[in-house]
Amino acid sequence: MTSQTLTLDLRDDIRQGREPFSKIMSAAAGLQAGDQLLLIAPFEPVPLFGVLERQGFTHQAERTPSGDWQVAFKRQSTGTPASAGLIPDLEHKCTAEVVEVDARGLEPPQPLVKILEAIAGLGLGAELKARTDRRPMHLYAHLDERGFSAETQEQPDGTFLTHVRRS
Amino acid sequence: MSADLKSSLVNPAVSKPPLGTHAPSVALPLGFVLSGLLSLGFGVGWLVLRPSLLATYHYNQYVIALTHLFVLGWISSVVMGAMYQLVPVALETKLYSEKLARVQFACHLVGFVGMVWMFRVWNMKQVGHFGCVLGLGVALFVYNIARTLRRVPKWNVTATAVAAALFWIGFTVTAGLCVAAGKCAYDSNTGFATEGGVPLVVDGLRALGAFMARFDAISAMHAHAHLGGVGFFTMLIVGVSYKLIPMFTLSELRSKTRATASIVLLNIGLAGSFTTILLRSPWKPAFALVVMTALGLYGWELAAILNARKRRSLDWGIKYFLTAVVLLFPLSGLAVVLAWPGLPLNTFTGQLENVYGFLGLVGVVSLAILGMLYKIIPFLVWFGRYSPHIGRAKVPALADLYSTRLQAFGYWSFLAGLGVTCAATLVSSEAFVRMGAILLALAVATLALNVGAMLTHLIKPRLEPLGAPSNPAKSTNRSELTGAKTASPLSPSPISKPA
């Protein structure tokens, strides 16, 4: 299987104030094992390293002469159940992973949007912990539809903590 | 006992999604809201064509018909539809039965259309019949919301207000039916009236009619109006806003005691007002002052909530609402004046009563509802059409669904129309009432255009693939890549545009 390299130049997007996270995640989702995602950004996208690592990517970052950053993300495994056994390290990482989303202090429907988008990027076996000001009534039906289940606990400070995992 | 219930009893702090995960239907609240908007359009149009309805004293069949079009067709439709939508939000539980709500919708439509028509031709018997259909709908509404209240995980001041409102709407409908019964003649004893149990019912109604004759007809009408206007509409506006205003402005309730006191006093004031109005007692102003105090506490709490808000800019929906709250104060003042014992009964005070009714129903209640509609309808459309696509495609922001410029224009046109109509009513000028009504109609037109814009999203959703460039002007969050705290990593933050 020939491996491909997908290049995403984000410099213009970022300069225009556009949010490229979705572009990156959907590009990453389309890659097979052995494929590469080459990102060009005006700064070192450190938070991405962890996010994509959880999806099974290694990274190699280098600074270009122009001062921009070029990061090569290489997919090690597609993360499907069939290949999970081959890479025990990554599998172990996946099942222990908990993503935290703070959706407090946001006007509706932002908490809903923030949580659902975080779920879109959730790896297999990963869990999501979402904090909200109110019980997220509108969330449950959407989670159900996307194949997730949730449990909400009220916190002592009056906010709510919802655990989301794949059902 | 279901597994859910068991686990919540074992550990009440942990709860699985309450009562199933089905998304609440958006069609139901939308249906109510659209009926309301149609009624509003009709009502304002009617006033444009017949300005004499306000320019002369209000005790005639046309004014009563128009008033019921406003309070039942417009306001009640929207309030009930909104309640079905807001229950999960305000009370953090699921509506008891959507099916009952749909049946109620049918009763409501048949009921209010029939009533308005029959008021207009002054057929009180048919008003009674259609009133019973409406009443059945209201009974279903009360039952549905009451059963829902029983499931509320944490009782709060909003739940108290909703409970009180349920009592008062039940009482309003009952009182209305009694007033209608009092205006009927019970002298037919042929044909249908002699069959089966009908004579019993007729006898009962005759007795009721005789009882109602003890009261002055106009006082009974005024008492009935206050039950609805204060007990149902105002109670809900106050109670639900204690939940919604903090939610939309990113603030919180500052003093539970003050909020609760406002609701308690509102109830006491209304109970007293109803009785003193009905009996034409000199204690009327005292209870008007109790209501005024309750509203003063409400205003104070609202000011505290706004003071503590994290979202400094107020969008137009909130501005509409807050203007309505401000108008509560001249309205209460007018109430105290009109309640004054020994107030002379002349053309001027008659017109003052018209202004009072108009300011209350249009200036306060309608304006408050218009503000909330600008929050509710976009959310309904967005939730119904776009929320399933979050994370899978680029969805528009709430503010993209309508035009804020139109909304702002509508605000000023509405206020101008309100002012002109009130002044014109006071001096009995038909020409200026018409002018005021036209300005109001313009405001309603801006709302209609905006609602049309929102609804086109239902028919033709505007979805883009993920990664498509977003409009930089709408984005208010910082990049997720920099690791900085962000409102949303993907779509532009779906909050309303600041005014």
Side-chain angles (χ1 to χ4, degrees):
Chain A
M1 194 165 48
T2 45
S3 61
Q4 50 159 337
T5 298
L6 181 64
T7 306
L8 270 187
D9 187 339
L10 305 168
R11 287 172 295 184
D12 195 44
D13 276 336
I14 291 163
R15 263 180 224 124
Q16 302 280 346
R18 289 193 285 257
E19 184 52 79
F21 187 68
S22 52
K23 212 187 236 178
I24 301 166
M25 295 315 291
S26 56
L31 294 179
Q32 305 286 330
D35 288 341
Q36 254 199 109
L37 175 65
L38 192 66
L39 285 188
I40 308 168
F43 50 79
E44 195 185 8
V46 175
L48 264 185
F49 300 159
V51 174
L52 285 173
E53 200 173 83
R54 289 192 287 268
Q55 305 254 333
F57 286 88
T58 55
H59 67 268
Q60 210 169 339
E62 66 181 32
R63 201 150 187 185
T64 66
S66 59
D68 294 323
W69 283 84
Q70 202 168 280
V71 190
F73 290 96
K74 190 165 183 179
R75 197 191 262 287
Q76 297 301 300
S77 113
T78 55
T80 57
S83 59
L86 296 172
I87 310 195
D89 258 6
L90 222 50
E91 182 198 46
H92 176 76
K93 261 195 186 151
C94 279
T95 49
E97 188 216 346
V98 177
V99 176
E100 291 212 19
V101 173
D102 188 353
R104 293 173 301 178
L106 298 173
E107 195 193 337
Q110 279 182 283
L112 178 72
V113 174
K114 192 166 186 183
I115 296 169
L116 287 177
E117 285 176 348
I119 278 159
L122 210 60
L124 263 189
E127 207 184 273
L128 188 123
K129 265 168 51 172
R131 285 180 196 280
T132 49
D133 291 318
R134 294 166 292 279
R135 199 177 295 271
M137 298 303 299
H138 293 296
L139 185 63
Y140 305 125
H142 284 107
L143 291 178
D144 195 46
E145 195 234 341
R146 287 153 209 248
F148 288 86
S149 62
E151 238 175 52
T152 302
Q153 287 165 304
E154 187 169 357
Q155 304 298 290
D157 63 355
T159 61
F160 293 82
L161 189 65
T162 305
H163 288 259
V164 180
R165 44 184 91 77
R166 285 186 198 274
S167 48
Chain B
M1 222 195 283
S2 72
D4 290 345
L5 209 50
K6 259 202 191 126
S7 67
S8 354
L9 286 175
V10 160
N11 183 355
V14 178
S15 58
K16 296 210 185 289
L19 309 146
T21 51
H22 300 293
S25 144
V26 300
L28 179 70
L30 260 182
F32 272 98
V33 166
L34 291 176
S35 311
L37 290 172
L38 273 170
S39 303
L40 177 65
F42 255 102
V44 176
W46 191 344
L47 191 61
V48 171
L49 293 172
R50 296 263 177 279
S52 58
L53 291 175
L54 275 180
T56 55
Y57 191 58
H58 62 274
Y59 195 44
N60 68 56
Q61 67 217 72
Y62 304 109
V63 177
I64 295 179
L66 180 59
T67 306
H68 283 84
L69 180 62
F70 259 89
V71 304
L72 294 176
W74 153 236
I75 302 175
S76 293
S77 299
V78 172
V79 166
M80 286 166 170
M83 283 304 292
Y84 288 132
Q85 170 63 18
L86 291 174
V87 151
V89 176
L91 303 178
E92 300 199 348
T93 183
K94 200 166 170 276
L95 183 68
Y96 172 67
S97 166
E98 272 203 31
K99 193 161 168 209
L100 273 183
R102 284 196 288 269
V103 175
Q104 191 238 323
F105 184 50
C107 293
H108 186 73
L109 283 181
V110 171
F112 91 76
V113 170
M115 278 177 72
V116 172
W117 177 19
M118 289 304 156
F119 268 124
R120 205 174 151 268
V121 301
W122 204 250
N123 183 335
M124 294 313 292
K125 183 167 133 182
Q126 298 307 336
V127 166
H129 291 159
F130 283 107
C132 286
V133 175
L134 185 98
L136 172 64
V138 170
L140 292 175
F141 172 78
V142 169
Y143 178 70
N144 208 349
I145 303 288
R147 283 301 294 252
T148 308
L149 278 175
R150 282 182 61 194
R151 293 170 164 178
V152 162
K154 213 172 53 167
W155 196 265
N156 54 37
V157 65
T158 303
T160 306
V162 171
L166 291 181
F167 167 75
W168 292 113
I169 187 60
F171 193 2
T172 308
V173 172
T174 311
L177 288 171
C178 291
V179 173
K183 293 187 191 305
C184 290
Y186 299 97
D187 44 16
S188 83
N189 46 15
T190 57
F192 184 58
T194 56
E195 284 181 42
V198 178
L200 267 170
V201 175
V202 176
D203 281 343
L205 285 173
R206 188 184 287 117
L208 181 58
F211 174 70
M212 289 307 292
R214 293 182 187 199
F215 306 110
D216 169 56
I218 294 191
S219 304
M221 201 176 68
H222 287 173
H224 159 70
H226 280 84
L227 285 176
V230 181
F232 187 54
F233 299 148
T234 308
M235 190 74 62
L236 282 177
I237 286 171
V238 172
V240 173
S241 68
Y242 280 142
K243 194 84 186 190
L244 293 187
I245 299 295
M247 189 170 85
F248 289 127
T249 59
L250 304 180
S251 183
E252 54 181 6
L253 206 64
R254 303 301 285 166
S255 163
K256 277 199 188 118
T257 315
R258 187 166 47 202
T260 309
S262 71
I263 298 294
V264 169
L265 275 179
L266 193 59
N267 277 288
I268 294 173
L270 176 61
S273 292
F274 168 75
T275 317
T276 51
I277 292 173
L278 183 65
L279 301 175
R280 304 171 78 190
S281 153
W283 286 97
K284 264 195 290 186
F287 288 103
L289 280 168
V290 174
V291 172
M292 202 170 171
T293 310
L295 296 174
L297 284 175
Y298 168 57
W300 188 6
E301 178 58 27
L302 214 53
I305 292 171
L306 289 169
N307 228 3
R309 74 188 194 273
K310 293 199 194 87
R311 187 162 177 252
R312 299 315 296 181
S313 71
L314 295 170
D315 60 58
W316 280 104
I318 304 285
K319 282 192 179 152
Y320 272 63
F321 184 83
L322 293 175
T323 308
V325 173
V326 167
L327 288 172
L328 268 174
F329 295 98
L331 183 71
S332 321
L334 199 51
V336 174
V337 166
L338 286 171
W340 215 260
L343 190 77
L345 295 169
N346 52 40
T347 316
F348 182 73
T349 56
Q351 290 309 105
L352 212 54
E353 283 183 16
N354 282 11
V355 172
Y356 175 63
F358 186 75
L359 188 61
L361 290 176
V362 179
V364 174
V365 180
S366 295
L367 188 56
I369 286 170
L370 285 172
M372 286 296 109
L373 276 182
Y374 268 106
K375 310 297 273 184
I376 293 170
I377 307 180
F379 181 82
L380 277 175
V381 171
W382 183 89
F383 190 79
R385 209 65 192 93
Y386 291 120
S387 62
H389 297 276
I390 303 170
R392 298 157 166 170
K394 198 165 210 54
V395 309
L398 276 183
D400 294 336
L401 270 54
Y402 59 93
S403 156
T404 5
R405 215 178 267 141
L406 261 181
Q407 191 184 13
F409 177 74
Y411 175 80
W412 294 112
S413 188
F414 191 93
L415 278 191
L418 189 67
V420 170
T421 310
C422 285
T425 304
L426 208 54
V427 299
S428 305
S429 161
E430 276 192 37
F432 279 96
V433 167
R434 172 166 279 147
M435 205 174 91
I438 290 173
L439 286 168
L440 286 170
L442 263 175
V444 172
T446 63
L447 177 66
L449 285 170
N450 263 338
V451 172
M454 295 173 207
L455 292 178
T456 58
H457 282 263
L458 270 183
I459 307 162
K460 253 176 67 179
R462 251 146 271 176
L463 288 163
E464 278 167 59
L466 279 179
S470 55
N471 185 339
K474 296 218 169 82
S475 206
T476 58
N477 44 284
R478 286 167 289 168
S479 172
E480 165 105 334
L481 293 185
T482 60
K485 188 159 182 220
T486 176
S488 156
L490 289 175
S491 15
S493 48
I495 53 176
S496 322
K497 293 178 206 161

